[in-house]
Amino acid sequence: EMEAKYTRKMQALRDEMDLRRKTEIHELEERKNTQISELMDNHEGAFGAIKNYYNDITAKNLTLINLLKEQVEDLKKKEAVLEKEKADVLLQNKQLTEPLQEAQELVAELQKKLVHYRRDKEALTNSKAHLKITQKELKDLQWEHEVLEQRFSKVQAERDELYQKFTKAINEVQQKTGFKNLLLERKLKGLLSLLEQKEVELSEVIAASKLDPSALSLVSHKLEDVLSSKNATIHDLQLQLARVCKAHNDMLQTFEAKLTAFGIPVDNLGFQPLSFPFPGQ
């Protein structure tokens, strides 16, 4: 009985507990379903918001992509234009290289001229400073000029007298020099003729005597010594003639310099002074 009693109680307790469990499970199911529904609604809302957000971003990105494509096209066109302009600029640069170099050279030249201009400007300043001193010196020189003019008149008279004496002296010296040159030339010609005659006589003597080679060599050596002596004499005479000609020409140059110093033209002499050429010319 007790077992049956407790079995009934156990069964009743089981039934009560099953009912409570089922009730709690039902409540849990309802809360779960409610939460799931709320979560789904929240998720749907969030998904819609995210979808709208990403749709907006996608639309903006597409718009931006299209805009960037247009900008890329514009940039390509600009790049082509810039490339063409670059080629034109390079061509112009190449064409302007030579003018640029000329301009640089001109700038360098102008800088040099600027340096010279500054130097000239400084020199001009110094010249202005010296100008006053020079003006004073000019007055002094004018006074000295008047004095010198008076002295010049006196010297001019002395010059005319000296000119007459000098003309006479140059004529005498020219005559003496010409005579001496003539004598030296005749003497030189006589020696050359004598040398030729002696050579002919020597050849005849050698041919007539039929000397042996040793004697002929000795005679040849002696003859060469004689010829050397004669050539030295001829050379000395030529040097004397050259010295006389040079002295005569130097005297003419000195005479012309004196005439120029006194302001007398050479044409006023009335004759052309004879200038002797040097021997061999």
Side-chain angles (χ1 to χ4, degrees):
E1 293 177 353
M2 286 181 68
E3 184 177 358
K5 182 180 178 181
Y6 280 105
T7 299
R8 291 192 293 274
K9 286 184 177 181
M10 180 64 70
Q11 188 64 36
L13 182 60
R14 283 181 177 179
D15 293 337
E16 183 182 358
M17 293 299 292
D18 287 337
L19 180 61
R20 183 182 294 177
R21 181 178 59 80
K22 290 179 179 179
T23 303
E24 290 178 355
I25 288 172
H26 182 68
E27 291 177 354
L28 287 172
E29 288 289 336
E30 288 182 353
R31 286 199 300 272
K32 183 185 74 172
N33 291 331
T34 302
Q35 289 179 356
I36 289 172
S37 178
E38 290 177 355
L39 287 172
M40 288 180 69
D41 292 337
N42 292 332
H43 288 169
E44 287 292 332
F47 179 73
I50 291 173
K51 186 177 180 180
N52 293 329
Y53 173 72
Y54 281 105
N55 286 333
D56 293 336
I57 291 177
T58 302
K60 290 180 181 179
N61 287 335
L62 290 174
T63 305
L64 182 60
I65 288 170
N66 293 327
L67 180 62
L68 291 175
K69 285 182 179 179
E70 293 177 357
Q71 291 180 356
V72 168
E73 292 295 329
D74 293 337
L75 289 174
K76 287 182 179 179
K77 292 179 181 178
K78 290 181 180 179
E79 184 179 3
V81 174
L82 289 175
E83 286 293 334
K84 185 177 179 181
E85 291 179 355
K86 178 183 177 182
D88 295 338
V89 169
L90 289 175
L91 181 60
Q92 292 178 0
N93 188 18
K94 185 176 181 181
Q95 293 175 352
L96 291 175
T97 300
E98 184 175 355
L100 177 62
Q101 185 176 1
E102 293 178 356
Q104 289 176 349
E105 293 176 356
L106 180 60
V107 168
E109 186 67 24
L110 289 175
Q111 287 178 350
K112 292 181 181 178
K113 289 184 178 180
L114 179 60
V115 173
H116 292 305
Y117 169 74
R118 290 176 178 172
R119 292 178 181 175
D120 293 340
K121 186 177 180 181
E122 184 178 357
L124 179 61
T125 303
N126 295 330
S127 298
K128 288 181 178 179
H130 291 295
L131 181 59
K132 295 181 180 179
I133 300 173
T134 306
Q135 288 176 347
K136 184 177 180 300
E137 293 177 352
L138 178 61
K139 292 181 180 179
D140 297 337
L141 289 174
Q142 287 176 348
W143 180 79
E144 292 180 1
H145 177 69
E146 293 178 357
V147 176
L148 289 174
E149 280 185 347
Q150 296 176 0
R151 294 177 60 186
F152 175 73
S153 299
K154 183 178 179 181
V155 170
Q156 193 171 14
E158 294 176 355
R159 180 204 64 185
D160 295 336
E161 183 180 357
L162 180 62
Y163 169 71
Q164 294 176 356
K165 293 180 180 179
F166 196 73
T167 302
K168 184 178 180 181
I170 195 65
N171 290 328
E172 293 176 357
V173 170
Q174 189 172 5
Q175 291 175 359
K176 292 179 181 179
T177 305
F179 182 71
K180 188 174 182 179
N181 289 340
L182 183 61
L183 290 177
L184 289 174
E185 288 178 358
R186 289 181 178 178
K187 186 176 181 180
L188 179 60
K189 289 179 180 179
L191 289 174
L192 290 174
S193 300
L194 181 61
L195 177 61
E196 292 177 357
Q197 184 180 356
K198 293 298 183 182
E199 287 179 352
V200 172
E201 292 177 357
L202 178 63
S203 299
E204 292 177 353
V205 170
I206 291 173
S209 60
K210 297 180 180 180
L211 296 175
D212 59 345
S214 59
L216 182 60
S217 175
L218 180 60
V219 172
S220 298
H221 286 300
K222 290 183 179 181
L223 180 59
E224 288 178 358
D225 293 338
V226 173
L227 289 176
S228 298
S229 176
K230 296 298 182 179
N231 289 331
T233 304
I234 292 172
H235 182 67
D236 292 338
L237 291 173
Q238 288 176 345
L239 291 177
Q240 292 179 12
L241 180 60
R243 283 195 293 269
V244 172
C245 291
K246 185 177 184 305
H248 176 73
N249 294 334
D250 292 341
M251 182 268 296
L252 287 179
Q253 292 178 359
T254 304
F255 175 67
E256 291 177 358
K258 290 291 184 181
L259 291 179
T260 303
F262 284 109
I264 301 173
V266 181
D267 296 336
N268 292 343
L269 289 176
F271 63 93
Q272 181 64 31
L274 180 60
S275 178
F276 289 102
F278 291 106
Q281 295 182 347

